[in-house]
Amino acid sequence: MENLFAARSQMAVSLGFHIVFACIGMVMPFLMALSHFKWLKTGQEIYKDLTKAWSRGVAIFFATGAVSGTVLSFELGLLWPSFMEHAGPIIGMPFSLEGTAFFVEAIALGFFLYGWDRMNKWLHWAMGLLVGISGVASGILVVAANAWMNSPSGFDWVNGEALNIRPIEAMFNEAWFTQALHMTLAAFVATGFAVAGIHALLLLKQPNNTFHRKAVRLAMYFGAFAAILQPISGDLSAKDIADRQPEKLAALEALYKTSQPADLIIGGLPNDETEQVDYAIHIPGLLSFLAHGDFNAEVKGLDIVPKSERPPVLITHLAFQIMVGIGSFLFLVAILYLFFSWKKPHHIWKKWFLRITAISAPLGFIAVEAGWVVTEVGRQPWIIYKVMKTSEAVTPMPGIQYSLLFTTLIYLILTFLVFWLMKRQIKALNNSYQSANQ
């Protein structure tokens, strides 16, 4: 196994595992804070119980996310030493600020978990809210560093060296806002639907359980509104990529040749040899409109770059289709949920809609994983866009395949432990509220 493939695979495994916990760490504290707020305002004990139940989940995912995030930070230096040699001084600021946000998050979570009946009730609530705010800040800062890899700025590249470094400019690069917005909304969609889906599944077994009904409503507030906003952020991202990384957009849509106008392609299997997309649905002119706001605009295809600098089209295109397909489905579920909440609240508790909600539970995280494939694979062969290729950054140290196997094994064990712990929590939660059935 070549070092480049092994190193890429190890980063893919590590990032694919960590991103789930990053999303949950960003959003679950807000769910926890909302239920806590409702308890403080209404005095209903069911909201206090819900807050405590969710806080245990936050603690589990925070601990596991801390481990996986630490591994990722080491991997950047061990697997990609040339990248860190040049990029470290440039994007060190968002990483260091992310570390500060992480420490604030850890301290606030400690105060919240052990502050019950020991702190002023509103200060205690504020600690829970601070966990969520610092978690979102941490996620945005990491995404800003990743966005810099897609839109490098804040330095002058002279004879293979980064000179005249400007960290603030690098952190607030042209891509940071659209990527951070899209990722933050994706985290709220994925976590909101996942929590609502788990409680909806439990409601199918206990249809009148008040505890799970309250949980579904609170979680769907976040998931539904974020799902409705997500297409707007997706449109902003598409237009941004069309200007800055036209070959990435071409790979997303499997557009092999520059076209005016350009069709939007739905589904299909790209064929690099024939440079055609088999079994696809074409919507004339729609890609031109989505990319440039004009149905007759020119959209650059993969023919603008040499074949050696083209992203892997099949993987990027399929990942993009999965992300958009799931996003569209969750958007429709969100619209339906909000309509029912407004006009026909009893429909939310119908078995058919609870089944849809339960089915939606894993879909948001599948979309998140697909989105990161689009972001990372769509940038290849560059680790720093148009500055350094991934092959130039990989470590020359032999034996990376053994590191890949060891890391994969560790993550499989952690996945099993988290699954086991959460299953125990859900089972205990379900048993505790058998009496809530009416």
Side-chain angles (χ1 to χ4, degrees):
M1 183 184 296
E2 292 183 355
N3 264 17
L4 181 59
F5 179 78
R8 277 175 165 166
S9 300
Q10 183 169 330
M11 285 297 294
V13 170
S14 300
L15 183 58
F17 183 89
H18 176 71
I19 197 171
V20 173
F21 299 102
C23 290
I24 294 171
M26 290 167 67
V27 180
M28 275 301 296
F30 286 105
L31 292 175
M32 184 178 73
L34 178 59
S35 61
H36 194 182
F37 178 81
K38 291 185 77 68
W39 171 62
L40 293 174
K41 295 298 288 184
T42 67
Q44 296 181 34
E45 286 294 313
I46 195 168
Y47 286 117
K48 180 180 180 181
D49 295 335
L50 184 56
T51 302
K52 288 189 172 183
W54 280 347
S55 68
R56 288 192 287 271
V58 169
I60 291 170
F61 285 109
F62 177 84
T64 315
V67 173
S68 59
T70 302
V71 171
L72 270 172
S73 63
F74 279 111
E75 285 177 341
L76 281 173
L78 293 173
L79 300 177
W80 315 102
S82 296
F83 167 75
M84 290 305 296
E85 177 186 356
H86 296 289
I90 306 172
I91 57 173
M93 178 175 285
F95 278 126
S96 62
L97 291 175
E98 189 275 336
T100 303
F102 173 78
F103 283 126
V104 171
E105 184 181 4
I107 293 167
L109 181 59
F111 275 115
F112 184 83
L113 293 176
Y114 297 102
W116 288 100
D117 304 320
R118 295 183 178 90
M119 300 173 63
N120 173 276
K121 62 180 183 179
W122 286 107
L123 178 60
H124 184 224
W125 172 78
M127 289 296 103
L129 184 63
L130 183 57
V131 175
I133 293 171
S134 54
V136 169
S138 181
I140 289 174
L141 288 163
V142 170
V143 171
N146 179 269
W148 176 85
M149 298 164 69
N150 288 299
S151 180
S153 58
F155 66 100
D156 297 325
W157 191 252
V158 181
N159 296 325
E161 291 188 26
L163 303 176
N164 191 24
I165 294 170
R166 304 175 296 279
I168 298 294
E169 182 182 330
M171 184 166 68
F172 295 107
N173 57 80
E174 292 184 359
W176 85 270
F177 177 75
T178 53
Q179 276 198 216
L181 177 64
H182 198 63
M183 184 63 229
T184 302
L185 286 174
F188 275 88
V189 174
T191 306
F193 273 95
V195 174
I198 290 171
H199 287 282
L201 185 63
L202 296 171
L203 267 177
L204 288 169
K205 300 177 182 178
Q206 302 173 31
N208 296 313
N209 189 303
T210 306
F211 180 86
H212 295 312
R213 287 190 172 212
K214 299 287 188 186
V216 168
R217 278 199 172 275
L218 293 184
M220 283 296 284
Y221 284 141
F222 287 94
F225 282 109
I228 291 172
L229 293 174
Q230 188 67 301
I232 299 173
S233 76
D235 181 66
L236 292 174
S237 295
K239 287 179 168 58
D240 179 57
I241 292 172
D243 291 333
R244 289 186 303 96
Q245 295 175 290
E247 64 269 38
K248 177 185 280 191
L249 179 67
L252 301 183
E253 290 294 337
L255 184 68
Y256 286 97
K257 299 186 185 302
T258 300
S259 303
Q260 184 180 7
D263 297 351
L264 180 72
I265 296 175
I266 299 176
L269 295 174
N271 188 323
D272 286 341
E273 292 185 5
T274 63
E275 297 194 345
Q276 299 291 329
V277 184
D278 302 323
Y279 317 113
I281 298 172
H282 292 254
I283 303 179
L286 189 55
L287 181 58
S288 293
F289 178 77
L290 294 176
H292 300 293
D294 181 354
F295 282 100
N296 294 310
E298 178 184 85
V299 179
K300 295 177 181 178
L302 290 165
D303 54 354
I304 66 171
V305 295
K307 289 188 176 182
S308 61
E309 295 184 4
R310 294 181 182 181
V313 180
L314 178 63
I315 296 174
T316 308
H317 177 72
L318 292 180
F320 181 68
Q321 295 294 309
I322 290 169
M323 180 185 71
V324 172
I326 290 176
S328 300
F329 174 77
L330 296 180
F331 175 84
L332 293 175
V333 175
I335 292 292
L336 200 57
Y337 173 80
L338 293 176
F339 174 75
F340 286 160
S341 296
W342 177 40
K343 287 293 187 180
K344 300 180 179 180
H346 61 282
H347 276 49
I348 296 172
W349 314 119
K350 297 284 188 181
K351 283 189 175 182
W352 67 269
F353 190 74
L354 288 176
R355 289 193 182 101
I356 290 175
T357 307
I359 290 170
S360 301
L363 295 182
F365 286 111
I366 294 173
V368 167
E369 298 284 5
W372 272 102
V373 169
V374 168
T375 299
E376 298 303 296
V377 177
R379 188 181 61 247
Q380 299 306 313
W382 305 99
I383 191 169
I384 307 175
Y385 183 61
K386 297 297 186 181
V387 173
M388 178 184 291
K389 290 188 175 181
T390 310
S391 57
E392 299 169 346
V394 70
T395 178
M397 184 71 68
I400 299 300
Q401 65 269 27
Y402 302 112
S403 173
L404 167 62
L405 292 173
F406 178 75
T407 303
T408 304
L409 178 62
I410 292 297
Y411 281 138
L412 287 174
I413 293 171
L414 283 173
T415 301
F416 171 78
L417 288 174
V418 170
F419 180 79
W420 176 71
L421 285 170
M422 290 307 299
K423 187 177 180 181
R424 284 189 62 187
Q425 288 293 328
I426 292 170
K427 186 176 180 180
L429 181 67
N430 210 29
N431 291 338
S432 298
Y433 284 90
Q434 289 286 351
S435 59
N437 288 339
Q438 296 176 351

PDB file of all heavy atoms in Angstrom, residues 358-373:
ATOM      1  N   ALA A 358     -38.380   8.645  12.398  1.00  0.00           N
ATOM      2  CA  ALA A 358     -37.397   7.665  12.855  1.00  0.00           C
ATOM      3  C   ALA A 358     -36.420   7.297  11.738  1.00  0.00           C
ATOM      4  O   ALA A 358     -35.214   7.168  11.971  1.00  0.00           O
ATOM      5  CB  ALA A 358     -38.114   6.413  13.359  1.00  0.00           C
ATOM      6  N   ILE A 359     -36.929   7.151  10.528  1.00  0.00           N
ATOM      7  CA  ILE A 359     -36.065   6.840   9.372  1.00  0.00           C
ATOM      8  C   ILE A 359     -35.078   7.973   9.118  1.00  0.00           C
ATOM      9  O   ILE A 359     -33.939   7.746   8.680  1.00  0.00           O
ATOM     10  CB  ILE A 359     -36.930   6.587   8.118  1.00  0.00           C
ATOM     11  CG1 ILE A 359     -37.700   5.262   8.258  1.00  0.00           C
ATOM     12  CG2 ILE A 359     -36.075   6.565   6.854  1.00  0.00           C
ATOM     13  CD1 ILE A 359     -38.760   5.050   7.197  1.00  0.00           C
ATOM     14  N   SER A 360     -35.487   9.199   9.432  1.00  0.00           N
ATOM     15  CA  SER A 360     -34.630  10.365   9.192  1.00  0.00           C
ATOM     16  C   SER A 360     -33.447  10.440  10.148  1.00  0.00           C
ATOM     17  O   SER A 360     -32.507  11.203   9.892  1.00  0.00           O
ATOM     18  CB  SER A 360     -35.459  11.655   9.322  1.00  0.00           C
ATOM     19  OG  SER A 360     -36.533  11.667   8.404  1.00  0.00           O
ATOM     20  N   ALA A 361     -33.484   9.670  11.237  1.00  0.00           N
ATOM     21  CA  ALA A 361     -32.474   9.812  12.294  1.00  0.00           C
ATOM     22  C   ALA A 361     -31.031   9.731  11.784  1.00  0.00           C
ATOM     23  O   ALA A 361     -30.211  10.593  12.117  1.00  0.00           O
ATOM     24  CB  ALA A 361     -32.719   8.782  13.393  1.00  0.00           C
ATOM     25  N   PRO A 362     -30.654   8.713  10.985  1.00  0.00           N
ATOM     26  CA  PRO A 362     -29.252   8.647  10.553  1.00  0.00           C
ATOM     27  C   PRO A 362     -28.941   9.451   9.295  1.00  0.00           C
ATOM     28  O   PRO A 362     -27.767   9.638   8.956  1.00  0.00           O
ATOM     29  CB  PRO A 362     -29.058   7.151  10.275  1.00  0.00           C
ATOM     30  CG  PRO A 362     -30.402   6.691   9.807  1.00  0.00           C
ATOM     31  CD  PRO A 362     -31.417   7.527  10.565  1.00  0.00           C
ATOM     32  N   LEU A 363     -29.984   9.919   8.599  1.00  0.00           N
ATOM     33  CA  LEU A 363     -29.770  10.495   7.267  1.00  0.00           C
ATOM     34  C   LEU A 363     -28.938  11.775   7.303  1.00  0.00           C
ATOM     35  O   LEU A 363     -28.112  12.018   6.421  1.00  0.00           O
ATOM     36  CB  LEU A 363     -31.114  10.761   6.585  1.00  0.00           C
ATOM     37  CG  LEU A 363     -31.957   9.520   6.264  1.00  0.00           C
ATOM     38  CD1 LEU A 363     -33.236   9.929   5.536  1.00  0.00           C
ATOM     39  CD2 LEU A 363     -31.165   8.529   5.426  1.00  0.00           C
ATOM     40  N   GLY A 364     -29.159  12.607   8.321  1.00  0.00           N
ATOM     41  CA  GLY A 364     -28.409  13.849   8.397  1.00  0.00           C
ATOM     42  C   GLY A 364     -26.916  13.624   8.509  1.00  0.00           C
ATOM     43  O   GLY A 364     -26.115  14.331   7.879  1.00  0.00           O
ATOM     44  N   PHE A 365     -26.526  12.623   9.285  1.00  0.00           N
ATOM     45  CA  PHE A 365     -25.100  12.343   9.440  1.00  0.00           C
ATOM     46  C   PHE A 365     -24.513  11.702   8.183  1.00  0.00           C
ATOM     47  O   PHE A 365     -23.340  11.923   7.867  1.00  0.00           O
ATOM     48  CB  PHE A 365     -24.862  11.453  10.658  1.00  0.00           C
ATOM     49  CG  PHE A 365     -25.027  12.193  11.956  1.00  0.00           C
ATOM     50  CD1 PHE A 365     -26.096  11.921  12.797  1.00  0.00           C
ATOM     51  CD2 PHE A 365     -24.132  13.180  12.324  1.00  0.00           C
ATOM     52  CE1 PHE A 365     -26.257  12.606  13.981  1.00  0.00           C
ATOM     53  CE2 PHE A 365     -24.277  13.885  13.513  1.00  0.00           C
ATOM     54  CZ  PHE A 365     -25.351  13.597  14.341  1.00  0.00           C
ATOM     55  N   ILE A 366     -25.312  10.938   7.461  1.00  0.00           N
ATOM     56  CA  ILE A 366     -24.847  10.416   6.167  1.00  0.00           C
ATOM     57  C   ILE A 366     -24.585  11.581   5.211  1.00  0.00           C
ATOM     58  O   ILE A 366     -23.581  11.604   4.489  1.00  0.00           O
ATOM     59  CB  ILE A 366     -25.884   9.442   5.575  1.00  0.00           C
ATOM     60  CG1 ILE A 366     -26.002   8.194   6.460  1.00  0.00           C
ATOM     61  CG2 ILE A 366     -25.501   9.044   4.151  1.00  0.00           C
ATOM     62  CD1 ILE A 366     -27.123   7.247   6.052  1.00  0.00           C
ATOM     63  N   ALA A 367     -25.473  12.571   5.232  1.00  0.00           N
ATOM     64  CA  ALA A 367     -25.288  13.756   4.385  1.00  0.00           C
ATOM     65  C   ALA A 367     -24.044  14.543   4.795  1.00  0.00           C
ATOM     66  O   ALA A 367     -23.319  15.062   3.935  1.00  0.00           O
ATOM     67  CB  ALA A 367     -26.528  14.642   4.449  1.00  0.00           C
ATOM     68  N   VAL A 368     -23.803  14.636   6.103  1.00  0.00           N
ATOM     69  CA  VAL A 368     -22.608  15.338   6.586  1.00  0.00           C
ATOM     70  C   VAL A 368     -21.340  14.641   6.093  1.00  0.00           C
ATOM     71  O   VAL A 368     -20.393  15.284   5.612  1.00  0.00           O
ATOM     72  CB  VAL A 368     -22.609  15.422   8.127  1.00  0.00           C
ATOM     73  CG1 VAL A 368     -21.242  15.849   8.649  1.00  0.00           C
ATOM     74  CG2 VAL A 368     -23.667  16.413   8.605  1.00  0.00           C
ATOM     75  N   GLU A 369     -21.313  13.318   6.205  1.00  0.00           N
ATOM     76  CA  GLU A 369     -20.150  12.560   5.732  1.00  0.00           C
ATOM     77  C   GLU A 369     -19.963  12.758   4.224  1.00  0.00           C
ATOM     78  O   GLU A 369     -18.838  12.964   3.744  1.00  0.00           O
ATOM     79  CB  GLU A 369     -20.330  11.072   6.044  1.00  0.00           C
ATOM     80  CG  GLU A 369     -20.438  10.727   7.525  1.00  0.00           C
ATOM     81  CD  GLU A 369     -19.109  10.777   8.250  1.00  0.00           C
ATOM     82  OE1 GLU A 369     -18.094  11.169   7.643  1.00  0.00           O
ATOM     83  OE2 GLU A 369     -19.076  10.429   9.440  1.00  0.00           O
ATOM     84  N   ALA A 370     -21.057  12.708   3.486  1.00  0.00           N
ATOM     85  CA  ALA A 370     -20.974  12.909   2.033  1.00  0.00           C
ATOM     86  C   ALA A 370     -20.482  14.313   1.711  1.00  0.00           C
ATOM     87  O   ALA A 370     -19.692  14.515   0.775  1.00  0.00           O
ATOM     88  CB  ALA A 370     -22.337  12.662   1.388  1.00  0.00           C
ATOM     89  N   GLY A 371     -20.928  15.295   2.492  1.00  0.00           N
ATOM     90  CA  GLY A 371     -20.493  16.666   2.268  1.00  0.00           C
ATOM     91  C   GLY A 371     -19.005  16.853   2.471  1.00  0.00           C
ATOM     92  O   GLY A 371     -18.350  17.588   1.720  1.00  0.00           O
ATOM     93  N   TRP A 372     -18.439  16.164   3.469  1.00  0.00           N
ATOM     94  CA  TRP A 372     -17.004  16.277   3.687  1.00  0.00           C
ATOM     95  C   TRP A 372     -16.219  15.550   2.601  1.00  0.00           C
ATOM     96  O   TRP A 372     -15.108  15.949   2.261  1.00  0.00           O
ATOM     97  CB  TRP A 372     -16.630  15.768   5.075  1.00  0.00           C
ATOM     98  CG  TRP A 372     -16.731  16.859   6.083  1.00  0.00           C
ATOM     99  CD1 TRP A 372     -17.736  17.060   6.986  1.00  0.00           C
ATOM    100  CD2 TRP A 372     -15.820  17.947   6.264  1.00  0.00           C
ATOM    101  NE1 TRP A 372     -17.507  18.195   7.711  1.00  0.00           N
ATOM    102  CE2 TRP A 372     -16.334  18.760   7.298  1.00  0.00           C
ATOM    103  CE3 TRP A 372     -14.630  18.312   5.657  1.00  0.00           C
ATOM    104  CZ2 TRP A 372     -15.699  19.909   7.734  1.00  0.00           C
ATOM    105  CZ3 TRP A 372     -13.983  19.470   6.095  1.00  0.00           C
ATOM    106  CH2 TRP A 372     -14.513  20.244   7.108  1.00  0.00           C
ATOM    107  N   VAL A 373     -16.782  14.499   2.044  1.00  0.00           N
ATOM    108  CA  VAL A 373     -16.150  13.850   0.888  1.00  0.00           C
ATOM    109  C   VAL A 373     -16.094  14.838  -0.277  1.00  0.00           C
ATOM    110  O   VAL A 373     -15.074  14.969  -0.970  1.00  0.00           O
ATOM    111  CB  VAL A 373     -16.919  12.573   0.486  1.00  0.00           C
ATOM    112  CG1 VAL A 373     -16.430  12.044  -0.856  1.00  0.00           C
ATOM    113  CG2 VAL A 373     -16.752  11.494   1.562  1.00  0.00           C
TER     114      VAL A 373
END
